């Protein structure tokens, strides 16, 4: 199984990082590739669902599968490439260490394009670390 791991130090408290990044709707503020991130439920926690679309994706449903403030959260999505994302936060002398694990699994015809997807998504996930760090620290604006 493919597991794309990244980490970044953010000069903010774990609670601040958790509160901003665990809500998928905030991705609209820092990720230029997000087109839609809309809550399908009135709550935010395990089981909450969101309608999501990124520039190169089809519309899909993202579900929160873990929500442990301020330690971390996890999402899973449906679609041609199912992704399980785990995010963990640790205190760090400079703020908070964010570690992510992005596990994509292709289904059906998506298996054909999966090697190309991996090349693109590895670069995108590295960029995402820079984008969200800049957004949380106030140095990046879309």
């Amino acid at each position: 199984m493919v597991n794309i791991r990244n980490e970044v130090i953010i000069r903010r408290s774990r609670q601040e990082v958790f509160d901003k990044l665990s809500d998928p709707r905030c991705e609209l503020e820092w990720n230029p590739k997000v087109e839609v991130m809309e809550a399908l439920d009135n709550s935010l926690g395990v089981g909450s669902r969101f309608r999501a679309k990124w520039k190169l994706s089809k519309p899909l449903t993202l579900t929160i599968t873990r929500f442990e403030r301020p330690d971390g959260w996890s999402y899973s999505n449906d679609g041609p490439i199912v992704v399980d994302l785990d995010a963990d936060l640790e205190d760090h002398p400079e703020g908070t260490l964010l570690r992510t694990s992005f596990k994509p699994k292709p289904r059906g015809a998506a298996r054909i394009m999966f090697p190309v997807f991996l090349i693109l998504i590895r670069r995108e996930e590295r960029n995402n670390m820079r984008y969200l760090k800049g957004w949380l620290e106030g140095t990046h604006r879309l």
Side-chain angles (χ1 to χ4, degrees), residues 2 21-22 30 34 36 60-61 104 107 110 118 138:
V2 176
L21 296 182
S22 65
W30 61 262
V34 176
V36 175
L60 52 86
T61 301
R107 297 190 302 186
L118 286 177

Side-chain angles (χ1 to χ4, degrees), residues 17-18 21-22 66-67 71-75 85-87 89 98:
V17 173
F18 182 91
L21 296 182
S22 65
R66 177 177 65 113
F67 197 81
D71 300 320
W73 65 92
S74 300
Y75 306 147
L85 173 76
D86 296 309
L89 303 173
L98 166 65

Side-chain angles (χ1 to χ4, degrees), residues 1 3 65 75-77 82-86 101-105:
M1 178 199 318
N3 189 352
T65 57
Y75 306 147
S76 186
N77 71 270
V82 173
V83 173
D84 292 321
L85 173 76
D86 296 309
S101 172
F102 185 98
K103 296 174 236 161
K105 295 169 272 196

